[in-house]
Amino acid sequence: MAVWWGNAWKIVLVAMLVAAAGGCGEKQTDGGGTASDVVRMRSVSEESGTSETYEVIADQSGRYRLTAVSGPDAGVFQVWDGKALLMHLPDESPQYQRYENPDRNEIPVATWFYRPDSDEFRKFCPGAEKLGTKTLFDRSAVRYHCDEVVPGETDPTEPREAREIALDEKTGLLMADGTDSPTEVTFGVDIKPDTFSTEVPAGAETFPTELPDGEEEAPGMYPAELPAVGGGFINTALYAGSPYVVVSGPADGIRATLARVLPMTRAGKPAVVGFLFAAPDEDWKGSLLNPEDEKAFVDSILKTAGTFPAPVGVDIKGAAAASFASSPTDVTIALVTAAGPFAHVTLASDVSDAELRKWIAELS
């Protein structure tokens, strides 16, 4: 499951179930008490090397409360009330972030029920084939076979292997997804008046997440960690707080553009890094869904990439450059400010040395 919590749009991957919106609630309560369509799920993750327990309380209208109950993230929670998203991060200052009507492309909102006739279900389980029913958590669940999902080069859809899922027959709750399943599921649970509240507690500080009227948020660099040519990794988070320049594209184009850019910097400031576009050939026999195949593909690129006069990371299908490059096969230059947004983005072929030198001087 992908949960959006933490500063700088950090994505934390957790071994839990995520479902798309759907289902019709039998009853909904805005305050405390018991609602027949409210469900509590618990799941345990061992992926980080330590045991972590997560709890979800959700209803079929789409509201939910997701809490890290134990483990390194204990105390972190996220609440969605249908209009606003509240995140609590006890180890950060301020501890609260609240987003009114968030952009779903930038701030994912998890939901937990499916309708088998919905577009969300068809996207989540392409080529769905009903396989019958089985009993899960003392309830009847409908099993489906889902085809493999292989996104195109510019498609942001998450790749998935072919798998079997199971939906609660009565509510559409996702109760099994491949080998993943919650450890506890309880229907008709008691909830408190503030279970789905997104109000920030009185006196608590919060990050400013809303822009003044008429202003739009400036686009910036996606968080990314790429295997580096020559060993190690390039993590854009390590550059945060200082301006830097990114050159993306094929190897020869990056090499030629770095030769232009580096002499315009002074004593390594601003820092300059490269995102090397890499995509398997049509006759490649592996699958990027297979971690071993992906590693073998990256290793093959690292062996043949040659050397560069600046740190360069392997960017599979241009995913890391997607926030600024219109085409991963062209050479694009992005100047990133210390605050995070882009100062300038341009094709290398469209900018003169004089203009580029001026931009880099202003960035520094």
Side-chain angles (χ1 to χ4, degrees), residues 267-282:
K269 295 183 179 181
V272 181
V273 297
F275 288 179
L276 174 60
F277 173 69
D281 295 330
E282 292 184 0

Side-chain angles (χ1 to χ4, degrees), residues 45-350:
S45 169
E46 306 285 350
E47 288 190 354
S48 64
T50 58
S51 181
E52 300 176 283
T53 302
Y54 301 89
E55 178 183 82
V56 175
I57 300 174
D59 69 13
Q60 292 179 66
S61 73
R63 301 180 302 174
Y64 69 83
R65 185 182 192 93
L66 167 64
T67 306
V69 177
S70 67
D73 293 320
V76 170
F77 67 78
Q78 181 184 95
V79 183
W80 170 248
D81 65 5
K83 294 182 179 180
L85 185 73
L86 176 70
M87 290 179 281
H88 177 240
L89 305 134
D91 294 333
E92 296 190 19
S93 180
Q95 295 184 344
Y96 290 89
Q97 299 179 39
R98 187 178 188 276
Y99 300 88
E100 191 82 23
N101 298 313
D103 184 333
R104 299 295 187 90
N105 294 321
E106 296 180 357
I107 305 175
V109 173
T111 45
W112 312 91
F113 298 85
Y114 278 121
R115 290 195 306 266
D117 60 348
S118 67
D119 289 338
E120 289 86 357
F121 176 73
R122 285 186 281 272
K123 291 176 182 178
F124 183 73
C125 183
E129 178 184 353
K130 192 172 181 179
L131 301 176
T133 62
K134 65 179 178 181
T135 300
L136 290 173
F137 303 102
D138 297 323
R139 294 175 70 95
S140 177
V142 183
R143 299 164 49 228
Y144 294 89
H145 168 82
C146 307
D147 290 342
E148 179 183 14
V149 178
V150 182
E153 292 184 2
T154 60
D155 186 350
T157 303
E158 179 184 358
R160 290 180 179 271
E161 296 181 346
R163 70 203 193 284
E164 181 180 312
I165 67 171
L167 304 183
D168 179 59
E169 189 169 33
K170 187 174 182 181
T171 65
L173 176 71
L174 181 65
M175 302 179 77
D177 184 358
T179 59
D180 293 331
S181 180
T183 55
E184 299 177 28
V185 177
T186 305
F187 287 84
V189 298
D190 291 335
I191 57 175
K192 300 178 180 179
D194 63 350
T195 294
F196 299 124
S197 172
T198 59
E199 294 300 316
V200 177
E205 294 185 19
T206 181
F207 285 107
T209 59
E210 296 182 6
L211 298 172
D213 291 343
E215 293 189 17
E216 295 183 0
E217 183 177 5
M221 181 68 65
Y222 290 160
E225 184 176 82
L226 307 176
V229 176
F233 292 87
I234 291 176
N235 191 330
T236 58
L238 299 179
Y239 294 92
S242 299
Y244 62 102
V245 180
V246 181
V247 178
S248 72
D252 289 345
I254 290 177
R255 205 171 278 112
T257 304
L258 289 176
R260 292 177 61 192
V261 172
L262 289 174
M264 301 176 187
T265 65
R266 296 181 179 181
K269 295 183 179 181
V272 181
V273 297
F275 288 179
L276 174 60
F277 173 69
D281 295 330
E282 292 184 0
D283 58 353
W284 187 58
K285 302 302 182 183
S287 169
L288 293 177
L289 298 176
N290 184 319
E292 294 183 0
D293 287 349
E294 180 181 5
K295 182 179 183 303
F297 171 67
V298 171
D299 288 345
S300 71
I301 298 299
L302 294 174
K303 291 177 181 178
T304 60
T307 60
F308 298 88
V312 171
V314 177
D315 187 6
I316 298 178
K317 293 187 175 182
S323 61
F324 63 90
S326 58
S327 169
T329 55
D330 291 328
V331 180
T332 304
I333 303 172
L335 283 73
V336 187
T337 66
F342 297 122
H344 299 279
V345 174
T346 180
L347 290 177
S349 58
D350 289 349

